[in-house]
Amino acid sequence: MKKPLRLKADVLNQKAEAAGDLTMYDIAQRTGVRESTISRLLSGRTTPTLSTLAAVATAYGTTLDELVDGLIQPSAAVPAQRGAA
């Protein structure tokens, strides 16, 4: 069973604070994501879309790996081949 993606609210809050964004409105203005979406993401009530994650990551100069809990790591996604020569 797949684990749903979840925004790491603490990481977003740290990035936002470091950039001087202290409110959800500030985060929404910087990212171009609706304030209501930011609110739902920070409270864990919604699963982030890829476009929302990309906007947040770009706005705060970070990576999806750092922002999201539940990403499948490449080594776990592709099983190693045994005995290949």
Side-chain angles (χ1 to χ4, degrees):
M1 184 172 173
K2 277 187 178 179
K3 180 179 172 185
L5 296 179
R6 180 167 228 136
L7 178 78
K8 294 179 184 175
D10 58 332
V11 173
L12 175 53
N13 283 325
Q14 289 170 357
K15 297 287 184 182
E17 188 176 318
D21 297 339
L22 304 178
T23 66
M24 285 184 270
Y25 177 81
D26 294 337
I27 295 170
Q29 290 298 301
R30 183 178 299 271
T31 62
V33 175
R34 289 177 165 218
E35 188 176 357
S36 59
T37 301
I38 297 297
S39 174
R40 288 191 309 275
L41 288 170
L42 290 173
S43 68
R45 293 184 318 224
T46 193
T47 301
T49 64
L50 184 56
S51 61
T52 297
L53 289 171
V56 171
T58 300
Y60 290 109
T62 190
T63 64
L64 296 181
D65 286 344
E66 191 174 5
L67 280 177
V68 179
D69 194 19
L71 287 178
I72 298 173
Q73 298 302 316
S75 60
V78 180
Q81 293 182 358
R82 294 178 191 223

